[in-house]
Every structure is written in structure tokens, then in C-alpha cells.
């Protein structure tokens, strides 16, 4: 079984395993804190899982090669996307700083505090607004019965309620609004 080494930590994995899945399952810092939320979940579109490899791995895919030619990456950097790499043998993986892992001058080391680089954007405080109360019916059966009562029909029996759902309701909009207002709210969102 191949061994993947990331920052001094060795992980044993299956032959042909996806490198991104191996690193995430081992809870290793593959992504920058911002990229943890904004990454493409392994589609190869964002480029935030860029790493430098030494060892035996699959050849770059067309998607991977195309993404690594787009800024902020350069083709000369020799990076690979962990989400597109299959492990074929022992691998040494090195992650670099920056949201996309493009800053080759700052290798990421395990145990370092993982905070934003100095030019961080200010984060606006979250404002929690009170929930707007909404009216909820307990079940579709109670809605159907309310409609039948409002239209002057007899309430549907439990056997007929599915058929009643497909019948057009003969209730005016004003009557339905009145029914909803009279109804007690069950809860709020």
C-alpha cells in the first residue's frame, strides 16, 4: 500500500486513491481557511487544492492542466491539483501559502497557526433578524379539509383525501385568506 507523506505525517492509502480524499480523511490542512468554504469540492475548477508532488502519481488530466494555466497559477510552478491526482505509489506532498496554494515562497507547515495573511478584508458582523412568523398547517389533510369546509363540501374521508388533492378547489381567494388568518400558527421558522 502506498504511503502519502504530508508535512511529516505519513498516511497509508489504497493504490489508486484520490489524493484530496486521502488528505481530507486524515484531517490535514489541504485548504486555506477561505478556501475551505469556497472550494469546488473536487471538480478541478477552483485550483485551491494545488500541491507539489514528489513520487508516483497519475498523469495530469486535461481539466487539471487547463486550470493550472490560469492565474494565479503558472504552468512553470509544477503544481498539481490534489482533487485530480490518483496515488500510484509513495508520495511526498507539499502545500504552499495563499488561498490557491500558489505562493511557493511560503510552504505550509503543520502546527502553525492557520490564519489569514496580513491584508485581511474586514468581516461585517452578522445581523440576526427576528424570524417572521408564518402559518403552518399540521398536515396536507388539514389543508384539504379546510378547503372543503370553506367551499361548503363535506370533509374528505381519509380514503378520499388523495383524490381530493387533485380536484380543483372551489374557494375564492378571500375565503382562503380568511381561513388562514383564523387558523392558529403551529410554529415559526
Amino acid at each position: 500500500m502506498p504511503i502519502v507523506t504530508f508535512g511529516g505525517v505519513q498516511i497509508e492509502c489504497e493504490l489508486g486513491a484520490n489524493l484530496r480524499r486521502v488528505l481530507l480523511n486524515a484531517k490535514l490542512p489541504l485548504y486555506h481557511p477561505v478556501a475551505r468554504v469556497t472550494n469546488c469540492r473536487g471538480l478541478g475548477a477552483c485550483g485551491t487544492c494545488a500541491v507539489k508532488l514528489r513520487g508516483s502519481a497519475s498523469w495530469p488530466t486535461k481539466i487539471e492542466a487547463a486550470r493550472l494555466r490560469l492565474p494565479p497559477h503558472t504552468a512553470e510552478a509544477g503544481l498539481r491539483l490534489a482533487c485530480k491526482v490518483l496515488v500510484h505509489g509513495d508520495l511526498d506532498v507539499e502545500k504552499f501559502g495563499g488561498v490557491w496554494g500558489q505562493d511557493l515562497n511560503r510552504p505550509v507547515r503543520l502546527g502553525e497557526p492557520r490564519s489569514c495573511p496580513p491584508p485581511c478584508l474586514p468581516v461585517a458582523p452578522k445581523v440576526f433578524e427576528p424570524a417572521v412568523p408564518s402559518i403552518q398547517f399540521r398536515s396536507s389533510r388539514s389543508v384539504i379539509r379546510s378547503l372543503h369546509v370553506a367551499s361548503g363540501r363535506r370533509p374528505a374521508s381519509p380514503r378520499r383525501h388523495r383524490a381530493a388533492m387533485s380536484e380543483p378547489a372551489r374557494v375564492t381567494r378571500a375565503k382562503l385568506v380568511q381561513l388562514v388568518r383564523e387558523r392558529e400558527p403551529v410554529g415559526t421558522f
Side-chain angles (χ1 to χ4, degrees), residues 7 37 47 49 60 67-68 70 77 87 92 101 116 119 124-126 131 133 137 144 150 152 154 161 183:
V37 179
C49 62
R67 177 59 192 101
L68 290 173
L70 296 174
V87 179
D92 284 332
C116 291
K126 290 185 179 180
F137 289 98
I144 293 166
R154 203 176 62 161
H161 96 278
R183 184 91 177 164

Side-chain angles (χ1 to χ4, degrees), residues 128-149:
F128 294 101
E129 297 178 9
V132 178
S134 65
I135 297 173
Q136 296 177 346
F137 289 98
R138 293 196 177 117
S139 68
S140 62
R141 182 178 291 160
S142 66
V143 173
I144 293 166
R145 285 191 177 146
S146 299
L147 290 173
H148 282 279
V149 169

